[in-house]
Amino acid sequence: EDQLVESGGGMVQPGGSLTLSCAASGFICSSYDVSWVRQGPGVGPELVSAIVAGGGSTYYADSVKGRFTISRDNAKNIVYLQMNSLKPEDTALYYCARGEVVITPQGATGEYDLWGQGTQVTASS
């Protein structure tokens, strides 16, 4: 059975850092586009970052550009999201998702067939 399991969430003060992990099982993660999508309180889902199959291209939403870094460890079959300079508005449930991502100059969209269970990130003083 194909699965994605997120970990690494927690509570930090504004300005702090966290690294989220998305561990894939049942399939080879590097063969797929993988995204991090967050759902904040009272707002719709936001595609914050994605890494294309093969690891060549990445996408970041304007809201996280320069602060978040997505990467992949093919040997461990894990996708990471390094989050620095966290802001209260980054508070959300973060999901990783498998599926095709289309990146354009205007932004990115994804069509997903597999989701993890989510990990909570809270940036608050």
Side-chain angles (χ1 to χ4, degrees):
E1 180 185 0
D2 296 357
Q3 275 191 317
L4 294 169
V5 178
E6 301 96 334
S7 61
M11 179 177 288
V12 295
Q13 291 191 340
S17 298
L18 284 172
T19 300
L20 305 184
S21 300
C22 172
S25 59
F27 66 99
I28 299 173
C29 187
S30 61
S31 298
Y32 294 84
D33 301 346
V34 176
S35 300
W36 286 96
V37 179
R38 68 185 180 186
Q39 176 86 58
V43 298
E46 179 186 16
L47 196 175
V48 295
S49 186
I51 187 165
V52 172
S57 297
T58 57
Y59 165 80
Y60 298 96
D62 287 344
S63 57
V64 305
K65 202 170 292 182
R67 301 187 297 120
F68 290 13
T69 303
I70 192 170
S71 62
R72 198 199 304 263
D73 186 328
N74 293 336
K76 295 182 178 179
N77 219 26
I78 295 176
V79 174
Y80 299 100
L81 185 68
Q82 172 69 43
M83 306 185 295
N84 298 325
S85 302
L86 282 161
K87 303 176 181 180
E89 52 264 42
D90 294 318
T91 295
L93 191 58
Y94 284 70
Y95 298 91
C96 64
R98 181 186 75 180
E100 183 178 7
V101 175
V102 177
I103 301 171
T104 71
Q106 289 73 41
T109 58
E111 287 193 21
Y112 305 114
D113 64 351
L114 184 68
W115 293 81
Q117 84 287 353
T119 186
Q120 178 68 37
V121 171
T122 302
S124 174
S125 54

